[in-house]
């Protein structure tokens, strides 16, 4: 794409389709000649759907997470997104949840920030007489050391949810982090985690655990 008509400079604008790791390969007409400028503009994440709608002290709210398609191809699963759909359907049809109060996060939407904001902003709408449900189906993981500060695991290894992300910093939600987030909720809280290493996944925030 010609930047202007008076030079041979080019401009390429590309909007990345999703968060991730991208490699830019830059060449010139003659090898080793010329310069280029790379500019990245980041849009602020939109968490508005988690706070949309009214807060009902007696309401029922659910955050349902399922991940089949992880980045790359080596960690994919078959089943979790179907599990998430079935759980959401059951909550609505059998347990009287308002459809607008059941938020589904599947595959690329099931990131650390989205899950954390979904718990705090969406499940946080449930008042003392309300109900908050968190369901997760996907990979669990053991990180090999104690890296959190809220608890010390007896076996010396933190467990966590292996969510959608790139690298440990963005793809692991530690058990104690999840326990702390859930401990901030006021309503009756039900947690179901279908993942490896999930035995203490919501109980690792010490006295603050739900």
């Amino acid at each position: 794409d010609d930047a202007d008509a008076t030079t041979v400079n080019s401009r390429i604008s590309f909007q990345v389709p999703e968060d991730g790791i991208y490699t830019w390969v830059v060449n010139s007409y003659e090898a080793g000649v010329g310069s280029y400028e790379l500019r990245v503009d980041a849009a602020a994440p939109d968490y508005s759907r988690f706070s949309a709608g009214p807060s009902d002290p007696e309401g029922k709210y659910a955050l349902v997470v399922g991940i089949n398609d992880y980045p790359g191809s080596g960690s994919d699963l078959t089943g979790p997104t179907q599990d998430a759909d079935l759980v959401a359907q059951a909550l609505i049809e059998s347990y009287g949840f308002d459809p607008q109060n059941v938020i589904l996060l599947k595959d690329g939407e099931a990131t650390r920030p989205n899950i954390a904001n979904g718990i705090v902003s969406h499940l946080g709408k449930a008042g003392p007489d309300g109900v908050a449900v968190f369901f997760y189906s996907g990979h669990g993981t053991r990180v090999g050391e104690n890296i959190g500060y809220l608890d010390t695991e007896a076996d010396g290894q933190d467990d966590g949810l292996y969510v959608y992300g790139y690298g440990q910093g963005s793809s692991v939600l530690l058990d104690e982090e999840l326990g702390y987030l859930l401990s901030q909720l006021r309503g009756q809280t039900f947690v179901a985690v279908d993942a490896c290493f999930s035995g203490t996944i919501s109980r690792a925030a010490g006295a603050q655990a739900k």
Side-chain angles (χ1 to χ4, degrees):
D1 180 28
D2 290 337
D4 60 69
T6 62
T7 71
V8 293
N9 292 337
S10 297
R11 177 184 295 116
I12 298 175
S13 298
F14 175 68
Q15 182 174 348
V16 297
E18 62 182 12
D19 292 345
I21 297 174
Y22 292 84
T23 300
W24 305 94
V25 180
V26 180
N27 291 310
S28 60
Y29 182 74
E30 296 180 17
V33 177
S35 62
Y36 67 90
E37 175 183 337
L38 175 65
R39 188 179 76 188
V40 178
D41 298 316
D46 182 8
Y47 301 127
S48 59
R49 65 171 162 160
F50 300 130
S51 55
S55 176
D56 182 356
E58 299 181 356
K60 301 175 181 179
Y61 298 87
L63 182 67
V64 181
V65 182
I67 311 176
N68 280 358
D69 183 16
Y70 283 86
S73 59
S75 300
D76 290 349
L77 296 170
T78 56
T81 58
Q82 293 89 331
D83 292 343
D85 288 334
L86 289 170
V87 167
Q89 180 182 355
L91 292 173
I92 294 168
E93 296 181 359
S94 301
Y95 293 95
F97 279 65
D98 188 324
Q100 71 175 353
N101 291 346
V102 179
I103 289 183
L104 272 165
L105 296 177
K106 297 194 292 186
D107 293 336
E109 290 187 315
T111 62
R112 251 180 76 93
N114 277 347
I115 293 172
N117 279 278
I119 292 173
V120 173
S121 299
H122 180 65
L123 298 186
K125 294 177 186 175
D129 298 319
V131 175
V133 171
F134 176 73
F135 173 83
Y136 173 88
S137 181
H139 279 302
T141 188
R142 178 166 286 169
V143 300
E145 58 181 326
N146 272 310
I147 62 175
Y149 63 89
L150 291 177
D151 77 309
T152 301
E153 302 283 358
D155 60 4
Q157 299 188 69
D158 269 319
D159 304 322
L161 304 182
Y162 175 30
V163 300
Y164 192 95
Y166 297 83
Q168 182 170 297
S170 66
S171 63
V172 176
L173 182 63
L174 293 177
D175 51 5
E176 62 204 68
E177 293 177 316
L178 181 61
Y180 177 77
L181 290 168
L182 294 169
S183 75
Q184 307 305 299
L185 303 180
R186 298 171 295 164
Q188 301 177 68
T189 305
F190 177 79
V191 180
V193 175
D194 180 13
C196 294
F197 309 112
S198 61
T200 62
I201 203 71
S202 65
R203 302 187 181 94
Q208 300 185 67
K210 298 293 280 187

